[in-house]
Amino acid sequence: MVVRLEELVVIMDQEFALENFGKDPAFSRFLPDAYDSVLFDWKSQFEFPFTQRFNGLLIKGSPFVHRIFLAVFPTDHVLEHFIEKSSEGDLLFMHHPLLMECGDPRGRWGKGFVPIKENWIRGIKDKKLSVYTCHVPLDYHSSLGTSAAIARILNAEIVDGLVPIHVNKTPLILICHIDPTDTNSLIHSLKQIFEIPYVDFDGQKHPDIQKIAIVAGCGDKVHWMEAAEKKGVHAYITGEIHCHIDNAYGREKFSAMKEFASTTSMSLIGVSHSASEYLVKKTLIKEWLEHTIGIETVLIPQEKWWL
């Protein structure tokens, strides 16, 4: 099925309530800093509504969309694959408009936010492709959200939440009941679900886990974990439990988390930032686009989840 880009953008903007959310609190800060650091005139190169909200249509291609490619971060691999495998008018739907090098808990620490290279932007425009990104509005979506996708695949019952947003009263952190399990079994399941070679683990191992907290992406905030623990959570599942960004900010956060981890009773499990957010694309978002809109989708998994 072919969909007019103009109509598709309206559907997606409305589904994720972009106008209600206003400026993305993260990328309205990080995107200008990243592109200004390399002297790239992002305001003239990206669509005007995006430069105001930092969500939505980033690059506008041909007026008819045949396929939507789904990814999380704009890595070189993802963008090269999109440009090579796409046809004029196809659209790339990502969670981030910047690459986020979060670092590898068993390898190299990351650089933090990295802008899309100018050659990829030029390649996308030359082929008349489109790019759409949605960050906070996707995280908070009640049925298509990043954490909601994790809860569904774990067959978890959502019973409470933390960090609600005023726009739709949906919590960012989901507190859930699950069938009884133990830490090692839960880690084994998560490695299979997210297709990762290892998790980042800290805290305590439990023989009987029945209550969990879920927050996709960067859940490495001590006050969030403290609040979850007060609600009786046994395991805290997120993308990043430790910040491995190689700067003063990253080292300070890492130190604070290590101190908390030495005292907590919870199992703290990180499945990588990108993998935790890719799950929603290959499940809920793919289903929504194909069944509700009727358009073909193509998945682009990241070449390395711990990046």
Side-chain angles (χ1 to χ4, degrees), residues 110-260:
K111 299 176 183 176
F113 287 106
V114 179
I116 298 173
K117 293 175 183 174
E118 193 169 352
N119 65 296
W120 297 129
I121 294 173
R122 186 167 56 251
I124 289 168
K125 291 191 171 192
D126 287 347
K127 201 169 179 178
K128 299 181 180 178
L129 304 170
S130 297
V131 178
Y132 187 103
T133 73
C134 187
H135 184 234
V136 164
L138 178 58
D139 286 331
Y140 277 97
H141 198 287
S142 59
S143 60
L144 297 175
T146 51
S147 296
I150 299 174
R152 189 181 81 157
I153 205 163
L154 289 174
N155 196 29
E157 178 192 3
I158 301 169
V159 296
D160 202 349
L162 294 165
V163 198
I165 197 165
H166 72 279
V167 173
N168 58 7
K169 310 300 182 186
T170 300
L172 181 66
I173 302 172
L174 306 180
I175 308 296
C176 307
H177 285 155
I178 59 170
D179 291 337
T181 187
D182 60 84
T183 300
N184 288 338
S185 297
L186 181 57
I187 288 174
H188 177 74
S189 296
L190 293 172
K191 285 164 62 178
Q192 292 184 315
I193 289 168
F194 293 101
E195 299 180 11
I196 51 176
Y198 46 82
V199 301
D200 193 11
F201 178 82
D202 216 328
Q204 302 297 316
K205 291 196 173 183
H206 276 280
D208 183 26
I209 294 174
Q210 298 187 46
K211 195 171 188 180
I212 63 173
I214 299 172
V215 53
C218 283
D220 58 335
K221 292 180 172 59
V222 170
H223 64 284
W224 288 359
M225 294 183 178
E226 289 173 336
E229 190 164 26
K230 287 178 182 177
K231 287 184 175 286
V233 164
H234 306 130
Y236 184 99
I237 301 166
T238 185
E240 308 288 335
I241 60 165
H242 289 302
C243 185
H244 293 97
I245 296 174
D246 192 15
N247 57 24
Y249 166 83
R251 287 186 287 275
E252 183 178 342
K253 285 199 74 178
F254 181 84
S255 177
M257 266 302 308
K258 290 300 289 185
E259 183 177 347
F260 171 77

Side-chain angles (χ1 to χ4, degrees), residues 27 31 42 46-58 97 133:
F27 287 114
L31 187 140
W42 56 276
F46 298 151
E47 293 300 300
F48 178 75
F50 181 90
T51 66
Q52 305 305 299
R53 298 183 306 215
F54 300 90
N55 282 304
L57 188 65
L58 179 72
T133 73

Side-chain angles (χ1 to χ4, degrees), residues 100-111:
M100 186 178 182
E101 286 192 10
C102 304
D104 185 339
R106 298 190 185 181
R108 183 179 63 86
W109 282 40
K111 299 176 183 176

